[in-house]
Amino acid sequence: MALADIRALSRNEDGIAVAAGVLKQRFGDAFQTGEAIRGQHAHTTTYIRPQLPDGVLFATSTDEVSEAVKICAEYAVPVIPFGTGTSLEGHVNAPAGGISIDTSRMNAILQVNPEDLDCIVEPGVTREQLNDHLRDMGLFFPVDPGANASLGGMAATRASGTNAVRYGTMKDNVITLEAVMADGTVIQTGARARKSSAGYDLTRLMVGSEGTLGLITKITLRLHGIPEKIGAGICGFESVEGAVEASIAAIQCGLPVARIELVDELNMRAINAYSNLNHGESPTLFLEFHGTEASVAEQLETFAAIAGEFGGRNFEAAVHTEDRNRLWQARHDAYWAALQLRPGAKGISTDSCVPISRLAECIAQTRADIESEGLLGPVIGHVGDGNFHVLLLIDTDDPQEIAKAEKIVERLNERTIAMGGTCTGEHGIGQGKRRFMTLELGESVGIMQLIKHALDPKNIMNPGKILPPGRE
Amino acid sequence: MALADIRALSRNEDGIAVAAGVLKQRFGDAFQTGEAIRGQHAHTTTYIRPQLPDGVLFATSTDEVSEAVKICAEYAVPVIPFGTGTSLEGHVNAPAGGISIDTSRMNAILQVNPEDLDCIVEPGVTREQLNDHLRDMGLFFPVDPGANASLGGMAATRASGTNAVRYGTMKDNVITLEAVMADGTVIQTGARARKSSAGYDLTRLMVGSEGTLGLITKITLRLHGIPEKIGAGICGFESVEGAVEASIAAIQCGLPVARIELVDELNMRAINAYSNLNHGESPTLFLEFHGTEASVAEQLETFAAIAGEFGGRNFEAAVHTEDRNRLWQARHDAYWAALQLRPGAKGISTDSCVPISRLAECIAQTRADIESEGLLGPVIGHVGDGNFHVLLLIDTDDPQEIAKAEKIVERLNERTIAMGGTCTGEHGIGQGKRRFMTLELGESVGIMQLIKHALDPKNIMNPGKILPPGRE
């Protein structure tokens, strides 16, 4: 829907040709220019059109990334970081061509410090890889965006997911990071200490900068002890309002809920059909609680009582692993099930996040809007954060449907911003949401522009992302 | 100790004179130039020499701040924000003169949104004022640096304090903020939503920027429900190592401790003498637990068991308010008690923060160093964060003692940084720690400098702070 927004950055043909030659000479087979590989590196999971880079460097170290960026800087050639390609907003596209730096071979877990509850990883390590590695130590890394994304990519997009309500987002779980900046300089943004007041928070500046200021080459992450006990719950509600109000009440009374996920009736119907289940087809909360055995039991009991006050019914709880997994399977299937509501359609995921007091209202207005356009858009929500995704199911070969979807998304983002919310809770801006930046952030966009110009004067770091057209 | 570091920024005499005249004409009595008022606004709580501003504006609104900054920008005159003057590193000094903007009259609590667990305040609101206001709503703001600081100042220095281990620092508790930038532009750094991935994290860039990038004029803060039950504990240990190891074990096993404070044997002796108490004079942990009645009881029990494994003795617990207050009184008195170890001496507080696995070692080496210099330096620590303060008690009229203290601090900061730590966990850089920036942050200082130049090209926003001499 944002195709019209993508500024036709001009290609620096000569620079690209020379830089590609230098990179080939320096890196040999680790630098690839075949179309298949370039195509994979412009893969997007939405219908944003792929824009291929001119070459892909499979880097293996910070030094190699630095060297490559220096070469690109010398010839003013764009550098596009690539992790696993699971981003949703065209982050890996190369609108002005350039070199994709693939970090998947930088996948070493360099340190785990159990006493400090931290670890240092290379950017290509995926979250599942890290958690597999940590399991035997009784530790885990909590941020879970669904996809088995690379931790570098998750940091770059300020990702979060289902348990941000308890453990925070990447912003809260990156302690410090190493990055290669636009001239090839390598920086370490801060100390490994748990907190610091030493100067500007470059860690948080880089987290969420989507490769537009520098390329993340090492990340120090905060870890957590695997809870002694995990409890799961699932509860149907008469209305989305009831489910949201129960969530608000639970959080207000200090219930340390680890996950609290909303699935609307349409998505529940999809799940039942997809997995042959017989859940009630009403707005449903999926919950998870972490703690000691006694505390998890108490949390489940407290939530059951709260749910009852807001029209919750058939609250089902589970503490044994298999039972928990069975309960949550429905939530995990939500995306694939939703796609099957309209076989052949593509899903476009929105990413509104509003103050939780406005969440039910925002969802209701959005669902009414989708219905009046005659489209399907099942909803799931990270309700504890006020973040929800509509999966608009559209035939991307039908320009009229695309136009309708664009209108729905535009109105949704305007509604969200008017309610004090953001057009992106966790997916990032990429190419797809650039045109909402000014509406949401006003004069702050000018400050972002000054920072971008100062740190990347040649605009080679992932150009055409984040900053709105004409403000890059 | 950092006097030698403070670059003699040149005074823009003509600009200051003209700007002062314009400000007087515009703001009348709200603009003051008397020496007593200027002196109050250069008050520092350390022995960094006061450097008076040329005038003090008592601003009452964002518009007034913006107007004043525009006047100062026009004549290239420094702007120094002032909250309550409780900073420890010379943040409010005016090394090149200029205008202090006092925000104490901007002390309105503009919104409290109980459902969203957030509020919007002006920067002059103090944390005690906010908590008094919130109490009847069953809410509280957790960040507690000890002093009754202004929330604007706390945001500007990325403050934290005793319960950061559970609730985080200002970085984690500021959702978004409004700021007046160096040309007078007013920005809102982000939405009120609980999380966002929309562009560069300007909120976190401003938090901790110490007024050097802009002046914070409104803050949206995250609130928490007052816990149903609070439990307190106090436990002596045979050694600092034992106390630290017990803390590590408690955090590793997921005990959600709300405060865990270390007081060393010297400071315990001081407390007993100051308040006529008879605590054991050994390294002592002060603890606080938040939760339901059952969960607090369980937490106290779990900690008692852990403490026993690491040489803890005479663990005393309390859940009734008066008993809790009695237990914690000793900790609250620690600073004043410590000063009485040497009546007439001034205290210089260090602010090292290391990965917790290195904490005991760092404290031990530092205490040995202080002892070998023949000085007194009682220690308190926010042990859950790896942050500890040595209060060096010195006669500031004795140049030899000052030299000794400077050496101790220098070695402490070098030791801290070598251990992966930071020279400031929560006090900020100000003037006092500028010379450690490069050692701690290396090439990142160059990035900070680029940002400072881009956002404040005339270097009028609190000049002479954060960036090291010669790098401003």
Side-chain angles (χ1 to χ4, degrees), chain B residues 431-459:
Chain B
Q431 295 181 316
K433 296 213 164 84
R434 295 167 73 202
R435 64 190 170 131
F436 300 104
M437 283 290 282
T438 304
L439 182 65
E440 181 170 327
L441 286 152
E443 298 281 355
S444 280
V445 172
I447 301 298
M448 293 185 193
Q449 195 178 9
L450 288 172
I451 292 170
K452 170 73 171 168
H453 286 194
L455 303 193
D456 180 22
K458 294 180 184 167
N459 194 20

Side-chain angles (χ1 to χ4, degrees), chain B residues 332-459:
Chain B
H332 292 308
D333 290 342
Y335 176 76
W336 302 107
L339 282 178
Q340 289 310 310
L341 283 171
R342 186 176 174 190
K346 272 209 170 179
I348 299 172
S349 179
T350 67
D351 187 30
S352 285
C353 186
V354 292
I356 191 169
S357 62
R358 311 298 298 272
L359 180 60
E361 185 187 355
C362 192
I363 292 175
Q365 292 180 13
T366 304
R367 297 205 305 184
D369 191 23
I370 296 167
E371 203 167 312
S372 79
E373 291 286 1
L375 288 181
L376 280 178
V379 172
I380 59 168
H382 310 313
V383 62
D385 305 320
N387 187 199
F388 69 99
H389 307 297
V390 179
L391 194 70
L392 286 170
L393 299 170
I394 61 167
D395 172 0
T396 52
D397 292 330
D398 179 344
Q400 270 196 311
E401 276 201 19
I402 291 182
K404 279 184 185 181
E406 282 186 6
K407 285 289 175 199
I408 290 169
V409 170
E410 188 166 312
R411 286 190 294 262
L412 167 56
N413 287 339
E414 287 169 359
R415 181 181 308 124
T416 297
I417 292 166
M419 288 179 176
T422 172
C423 68
T424 176
E426 55 186 16
H427 294 171
I429 296 292
Q431 295 181 316
K433 296 213 164 84
R434 295 167 73 202
R435 64 190 170 131
F436 300 104
M437 283 290 282
T438 304
L439 182 65
E440 181 170 327
L441 286 152
E443 298 281 355
S444 280
V445 172
I447 301 298
M448 293 185 193
Q449 195 178 9
L450 288 172
I451 292 170
K452 170 73 171 168
H453 286 194
L455 303 193
D456 180 22
K458 294 180 184 167
N459 194 20

